[in-house]
């Protein structure tokens, strides 16, 4: 795993040169001082992330490749499924992301983009029954925002929405057709506003459309208390990754673990039982288990009472996977900032609403700046200041209580961190640190006072000012 990380870091450092060779198997073995079997395992992980692929033969070597969003999206969906996202979380997240994408698309659209959107609208009319055809519009629109971060987050949201859509029921075929007709009408309106370059209208229509779709899903949700899609539907939705059998198997097992309610520490099955159940070779199963271990979904326990044990998925595993993919897409600082800001403003607004709930009130107190940084200008304090900054902003995200938005913000923070540590930007000065502490205090005051507009104003000002060093 460590060697895989080193190889991936090198690809990022070299600017992701698709097609370039990182060296032959022998050369890599020597460079990392690894045995052939360890190196091969590392290569499998690198291949799993679609960062590079080993070409065999005389002119062989580890070649850098162009990843698609598949592994990253899947990792997030699996994690969020474990965390348990509600339809309300999904609505809130989409309401933050999609109007922003629509507004940006209206500014960024070009002839090719217009053609693409119109083609998607045309396909919608021809295949009215396919829910996937409906998603396509949202994904296509997000692409026109030219913001890779926004695009990926919207793809994840659509993937989660589709799970709910598949599990919803309609009262009659007529009603279903009417609903689809409304969707198409909405999409056409948004596409027209985007094409005309009317950002404000595109934004407003997108907001209204997301609200309408979610209200519809809420009305037609099956009477399942958890709100989670039923098991058979999960299977249908499982988009098997292309390529290797082990990857397909790992995705299937992850899905089955989710379907059984994600019972942490329980044995999902013995090796023999899994071989029987999935009808694969032992080699394929073991490779799949390695992927599950890498994504902290399950691990194999040897010995009596052993088997594939379900683990608690760590957010960091999927954050790393996504951050790596986004490094390939090379989002600009501005791309990261505009999505991060939108999420943070939404979080603050949410915390204002929740401020009087006892748990939230108690946790708000823990976010108060704890140290007087003006007193100590040591470099160690600067590190602490960065930690404090992370704690404050991620803390607000946790209080807002939306698993999707919290994860998205953490991904953005991780990308800033990687960018910051690679460019060696100026560290904050003591005066910066004091200003940040003061801003946090003022934000908390506005939140406690229940002053929504002032809280939004202060977080916006703070994000603008703090952008030079943190996040
Ligand atoms: Zn739609
Ligand atoms: Zn801050």
């Amino acid at each position: 795993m460590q060697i895989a990380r080193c190889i991936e870091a090198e690809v990022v450092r070299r600017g992701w040169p698709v097609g370039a060779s990182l060296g032959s198997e022998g050369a890599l073995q020597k460079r990392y001082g690894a045995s052939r079997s360890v190196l091969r395992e590392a290569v499998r992980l690198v291949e799993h992330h679609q960062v590079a692929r080993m070409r065999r033969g005389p002119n062989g070597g580890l070649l850098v490749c162009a990843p698609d969003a598949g592994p990253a999206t899947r990792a997030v969906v699996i994690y969020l499924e474990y965390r348990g996202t509600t339809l309300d979380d999904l609505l809130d997240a989409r309401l933050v992301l999609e109007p922003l994408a629509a507004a940006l698309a209206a500014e960024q659209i070009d002839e090719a983009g217009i053609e693409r959107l119109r083609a998607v609208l045309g396909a919608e009319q021809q295949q009215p029954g396919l829910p996937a055809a409906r998603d396509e519009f949202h994904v296509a629109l997000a692409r026109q925002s030219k913001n890779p971060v926004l695009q990926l987050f919207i793809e994840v949201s659509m993937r989660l929405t589709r799970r709910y859509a598949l599990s919803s029921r309609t009262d009659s075929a007529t009603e279903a057709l009417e609903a689809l007709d409304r969707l198409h009408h909405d999409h056409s309106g948004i596409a027209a506003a985007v094409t005309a370059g009317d950002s404000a209208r595109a934004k407003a229509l997108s907001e209204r459309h997301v609200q309408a779709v979610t209200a519809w899903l809420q009305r037609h949700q099956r009477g399942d208390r958890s709100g989670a899609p039923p098991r058979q539907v999960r299977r249908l939705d499982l988009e098997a990754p292309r390529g290797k059998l082990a990857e397909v198997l790992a995705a299937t097992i992850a899905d089955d673990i989710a379907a059984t309610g994600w019972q942490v520490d329980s044995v999902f099955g013995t090796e023999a039982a899994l071989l029987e159940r999935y009808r694969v070779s032992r080699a394929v199963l073991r490779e799949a288990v390695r992927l599950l271990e890498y994504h902290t979904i399950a691990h194999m326990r040897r010995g009596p009472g052993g088997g594939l044990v379900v683990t608690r998925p760590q957010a960091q595993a999927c954050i790393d996977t996504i951050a790596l993919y986004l490094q390939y897409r090379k989002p600009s600082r501005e791309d990261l900032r505009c999505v991060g800001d939108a999420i943070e403003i939404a979080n603050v607004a949410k915390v204002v609403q929740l401020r009087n709930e006892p748990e939230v009130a108690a946790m708000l107190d823990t976010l108060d700046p704890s140290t007087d940084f003006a007193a100590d200008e040591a470099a160690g304090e600067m590190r602490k200041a960065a930690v404090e900054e992370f704690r404050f902003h991620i803390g607000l995200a946790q209080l807002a209580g939306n698993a999707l938005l919290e994860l998205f913000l953490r991904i953005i923070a991780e990308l800033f961190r990687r960018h910051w540590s690679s460019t060696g930007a100026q560290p904050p000065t003591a005066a910066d640190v004091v200003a940040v502490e003061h801003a946090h205090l003022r934000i908390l005051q506005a939140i406690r006072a229940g002053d929504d507009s002032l809280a939004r104003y202060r977080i916006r000002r703070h994000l603008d000012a703090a952008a030079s060093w943190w996040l």
Side-chain angles (χ1 to χ4, degrees):
M1 215 180 278
Q2 281 166 3
I3 294 172
R5 290 243 166 88
C6 288
I7 294 173
E8 289 170 357
E10 190 190 328
V11 170
V12 170
R13 197 170 42 73
R14 286 175 56 179
W16 215 297
V18 173
S21 174
L22 298 167
S24 66
E25 192 174 54
L28 289 167
Q29 246 180 276
K30 212 178 282 169
R31 186 174 337 152
Y32 294 107
S35 69
R36 171 179 279 202
S37 69
V38 167
L39 184 79
R40 287 201 170 162
E41 214 171 290
V43 165
R44 268 198 289 269
L45 274 180
V46 170
E47 288 181 335
H48 169 61
H49 285 152
Q50 302 181 345
V51 172
R53 201 156 287 285
M54 186 61 89
R55 187 170 62 191
R56 311 266 161 215
N59 287 323
L62 191 58
L63 302 183
V64 177
C65 49
D68 65 42
T73 314
R74 249 183 330 271
V76 177
V77 169
I78 287 170
Y79 171 74
L80 287 173
E81 193 146 78
Y82 159 72
R83 280 283 305 264
T85 46
T86 64
L87 202 47
D88 286 338
D89 284 351
L90 201 50
L91 165 68
D92 285 343
R94 288 185 58 182
L95 277 178
V96 171
L97 304 172
E98 296 204 52
L100 179 60
L104 287 173
E107 290 163 18
Q108 301 286 336
I109 194 105
D110 51 23
E111 290 276 351
I114 293 167
E115 214 168 286
R116 172 82 192 121
L117 278 189
R118 290 188 173 176
V120 170
L121 286 175
E124 258 182 16
Q125 265 181 319
Q126 278 153 23
Q127 305 171 294
L130 289 177
R134 305 279 137 184
D135 288 0
E136 195 47 45
F137 177 76
H138 293 253
V139 173
L141 183 65
R143 198 161 295 157
Q144 298 311 317
S145 74
K146 311 275 158 71
N147 182 325
V149 184
L150 200 49
Q151 194 186 319
L152 186 68
F153 291 175
I154 288 174
E155 273 172 33
V156 169
S157 314
M158 292 315 297
R159 188 81 82 90
L160 289 164
T161 305
R162 199 186 315 161
R163 295 186 172 220
Y164 283 102
L166 285 169
S167 69
S168 62
R169 54 179 167 71
T170 43
D171 299 330
S172 68
T174 329
E175 195 202 26
L177 275 178
E178 277 171 13
L180 289 175
D181 218 44
R182 269 198 306 276
L183 288 191
H184 183 69
H185 178 261
D186 283 3
H187 290 174
S188 304
I190 296 167
V194 165
T195 304
D198 190 339
S199 280
R201 184 170 164 76
K203 192 173 180 181
L205 288 178
S206 160
E207 215 166 86
R208 210 185 302 158
H209 174 57
V210 172
Q211 266 161 345
V213 169
T214 319
W216 189 88
L217 286 174
Q218 264 154 348
R219 275 200 309 278
H220 295 84
Q221 222 177 330
R222 285 217 172 90
D224 171 335
R225 272 188 52 205
S226 69
R231 180 184 168 137
Q232 312 83 292
V233 174
R234 286 173 191 281
R235 294 304 305 249
L236 271 178
D237 178 48
L238 177 70
E239 266 170 51
R242 270 163 297 166
K244 298 164 100 184
L245 195 51
E247 304 233 346
V248 180
L249 180 59
T252 307
I253 294 176
D255 213 50
D256 288 345
I257 287 174
T260 52
W262 217 294
Q263 292 165 17
V264 172
D265 292 334
S266 70
V267 175
F268 179 71
T270 60
E271 191 176 66
L274 295 173
L275 288 172
E276 168 74 24
R277 175 168 175 179
Y278 295 106
R279 306 200 168 278
V280 290
S281 72
R282 177 159 292 161
V284 167
L285 178 65
R286 291 202 167 155
E287 205 175 321
V289 166
R290 241 171 235 127
L291 294 176
L292 292 170
E293 286 174 343
Y294 179 78
H295 288 290
T296 62
I297 291 162
H299 70 274
M300 192 59 91
R301 187 164 67 204
R302 307 271 156 213
L308 190 66
V309 178
V310 178
T311 37
R312 199 180 305 280
Q314 304 295 313
Q316 200 56 46
C318 86
I319 291 172
D320 286 342
T321 307
I322 283 258
L324 181 66
Y325 169 72
L326 283 175
Q327 281 181 305
Y328 161 70
R329 296 292 307 274
K330 301 190 183 83
S332 68
R333 212 179 168 77
E334 189 45 42
D335 288 339
L336 289 168
R337 277 209 49 207
C338 89
V339 183
D341 288 4
I343 293 174
E344 295 227 48
I345 292 164
N347 284 342
V348 164
K350 190 79 187 178
V351 178
V352 169
Q353 285 173 24
L354 300 172
R355 72 189 180 282
N356 289 326
E357 289 187 12
E359 288 163 33
V360 175
M363 275 183 66
L364 267 178
D365 291 339
T366 68
L367 292 181
D368 273 323
S370 47
T371 330
D372 183 8
F373 286 102
D376 194 342
E377 294 175 27
E381 291 301 306
M382 295 306 165
R383 266 188 71 84
K384 250 167 58 191
V387 171
E388 183 72 18
E389 183 63 345
F390 184 84
R391 199 178 70 92
F392 180 83
H393 292 267
I394 301 302
L396 280 179
Q398 285 168 338
L399 284 183
N402 185 322
L404 271 92
L405 291 179
E406 182 195 330
L407 184 73
F408 291 163
L409 190 63
R410 290 180 62 171
I411 290 164
I412 289 172
E414 173 68 20
L415 282 163
F416 270 115
R417 194 190 63 74
R418 289 182 185 201
H419 186 75
W420 193 40
S421 60
S422 71
T423 54
Q426 282 287 315
T429 65
D432 288 338
V433 175
V434 173
V436 162
E437 295 295 314
H438 182 68
H440 288 178
L441 204 61
R442 302 274 287 160
I443 293 164
L444 288 177
Q445 280 168 355
I447 289 174
R448 287 206 183 89
D451 194 334
D452 177 79
S453 55
L454 188 63
R456 286 182 205 233
Y457 168 79
R458 287 182 179 166
I459 187 90
R460 275 196 297 118
R461 284 297 301 272
H462 170 51
L463 291 169
D464 283 345
S468 57
W469 63 279
W470 135 264
L471 273 195

